[in-house]
Structures are given as structure tokens and as C-alpha cells.
Amino acid sequence: MTEILLNLTVRPIPYPQEVHDRLQLEAKEIIERYPHPRSALLPLLHLVQSVESYVSGTGIEFCAEQLGLTDAEVTAVATFYSMYRRSRTGDFHVGVCTNTLCAVMGGDQIMSELKQHLGIGHGETTADGAVTLEHIECNAACDFAPVIMVNWEFLDNQTPESARELVDSLRGGDPVTGSRSGIPLCNFRDTARILAGYPDARPGATDGVAGPATLAGLHAAEQDSTDGGTK
């Protein structure tokens, strides 16, 4: 908590000029998508998060300047949503769901074993900067419990063994594919940039490929249609 407060209250250190100029151009592009400039605050927060892997005091000041808001107004939003990080985040943010169903299906055990395996606690990052581990609240994926999210992409039906293999693959640079997207995960900063509204450059990102969990409802509807809706 102390680190979080310091990150948000210390006097912001300005971005290097070339970074500031690039962000300003990109911010202008994002703001022009909205009828009211302040509506662009959420994607702008993702944009600055893509620079430092968290929303720093510098990022808050930058967003406020672009939108004509106060630092307090921007901070209120940045600290409300858990998707905006308040301290530096590793290349892969690994969130283990420990809400009710995931917990009883093994989420608590997964979290405990990952802490031991990685040698870090909740909210901490491995020494190599690869993995930040957190327990997270329900992400509405209870039918595939227990669930892990990596950079906000689902990894369904996890076990302690698969979770250990997952983080080892992430740290080793091996490609890891999300359960829903069907394409390899990207790092945290690139994810933030995509969430800011910039194109996803990963191969297959625009080809309509999806994982089995994403298509389960569609397949069920198709089967129901084939059966004449009698079930």
C-alpha cells in the first residue's frame, strides 16, 4: 500500500520529450473518436499504462492535461478500476480467481502453490520482471473454473500442475495461447496499447479465430437448431 501511495503522490517526472510528443499525437487521435473529450479518459489511461506498465503520477498528469481535467479527477478513475495498475507490473499479470466457485474448485490451492513456486506473494513481481501474481475477483467464467487470467485473457480449467507449467512457459518465453482468443498472449504493455484502441498486430487476431470456450454457446445454439429446439 505504501508503494502505491508513493507512486501516485510523488511529484511526477516528465516523460522524455520524444515519448511525450508521441503520446500527445496518439492521445489526440483517441480523443477525436469521442463526442466529449473526457469520454476518452479510460483509453488514455490504458495508453499511458502501455508506457510504464502502470498508471504513474506522470501518466495521470498527462491525461489531465489532454482532457482539461484535474489530477484529482483522473486519479479518482484510475484508482477505481482494478485494470489500471498502481505499481509496476511484470510482462505478464497472472491473476488467479479466488472467488467462491473457483476457490472451491481449486483456485485457493493454485494461488498457494504459485506463491511457493514463484517465491512471491500477492501483488508481487518475480525478480526477472516476468510475472506479477495476484488473486482476482470473479470474472464471470464460473463454468470453466478454476480460471486464471493472464493480461486479462482467460486460461480455463486450471490445475496446480497446469498453473505451474503456465508460469514457467511465460518466464521461459514460450508461446502461451488463451482459452478464448485462440492466439498467443502478448505482454502487459502491448495488451494495454490494444485496450487503448490500437490494432492488435498478433497473427490471427483479426481472422475470427476463437477458442472452444468462446464458441461453446454458438455450438449449443446450432445443435439446438438442428434438433428443432425440442431439448
Side-chain angles (χ1 to χ4, degrees):
M1 177 61 76
T2 300
E3 180 186 1
I4 291 171
L5 291 174
L6 286 173
N7 285 333
L8 293 177
T9 58
V10 296
R11 186 173 182 81
I13 300 173
Y15 290 126
Q17 192 60 49
E18 65 275 14
V19 174
H20 182 277
D21 292 346
R22 172 177 62 82
L23 286 177
Q24 196 165 44
L25 289 173
E26 293 175 335
K28 184 176 184 294
E29 180 183 351
I30 291 171
I31 292 168
E32 288 176 349
R33 299 172 186 166
Y34 297 88
H36 304 291
R38 69 182 300 150
S39 299
L41 178 54
L42 298 186
L44 283 191
L45 287 169
H46 283 299
L47 180 66
V48 298
Q49 185 158 260
S50 74
V51 176
E52 299 180 276
S53 77
Y54 74 112
V55 178
S56 66
T58 305
I60 286 171
E61 186 176 77
F62 175 84
C63 292
E65 289 174 350
Q66 306 311 306
L67 299 172
L69 300 174
T70 66
D71 289 2
E73 288 174 310
V74 176
T75 300
V77 175
T79 56
F80 180 82
Y81 294 103
S82 60
M83 60 190 174
Y84 299 120
R85 308 287 300 155
R86 302 169 202 174
S87 58
R88 294 192 185 278
T89 304
D91 293 332
F92 297 97
H93 175 264
V94 175
V96 181
C97 181
T98 55
N99 214 314
T100 308
L101 186 56
C102 277
V104 300
M105 294 291 287
D108 283 342
Q109 183 182 359
I110 289 172
M111 184 66 180
S112 177
E113 295 204 17
L114 284 184
K115 285 180 180 179
Q116 182 176 8
H117 185 65
L118 295 170
I120 57 176
H122 163 70
E124 296 179 347
T125 301
T126 53
D128 58 5
V131 172
T132 295
L133 179 66
E134 284 197 334
H135 71 76
I136 55 176
E137 296 300 322
C138 183
N139 282 276
C142 303
D143 45 343
F144 295 99
V147 169
I148 290 177
M149 295 193 81
V150 179
N151 296 348
W152 315 124
E153 294 204 39
F154 286 100
L155 281 300
D156 299 314
N157 299 315
Q158 292 294 301
T159 65
E161 293 75 19
S162 68
R164 288 194 297 270
E165 291 173 3
L166 167 64
V167 295
D168 286 346
S169 294
L170 294 174
R171 298 182 77 184
D174 300 325
V176 173
T177 300
S179 300
R180 313 299 177 90
S181 65
I183 55 177
L185 305 177
C186 56
N187 67 39
F188 186 81
R189 296 188 191 208
D190 288 342
T191 300
R193 189 167 175 81
I194 294 168
L195 292 173
Y198 283 90
D200 188 341
R202 290 175 292 174
T206 59
D207 295 342
V209 177
T214 302
L215 300 174
L218 175 62
H219 291 159
E222 290 174 342
Q223 184 61 48
D224 185 61
S225 176
T226 301
D227 294 341
T230 57
K231 291 186 178 180

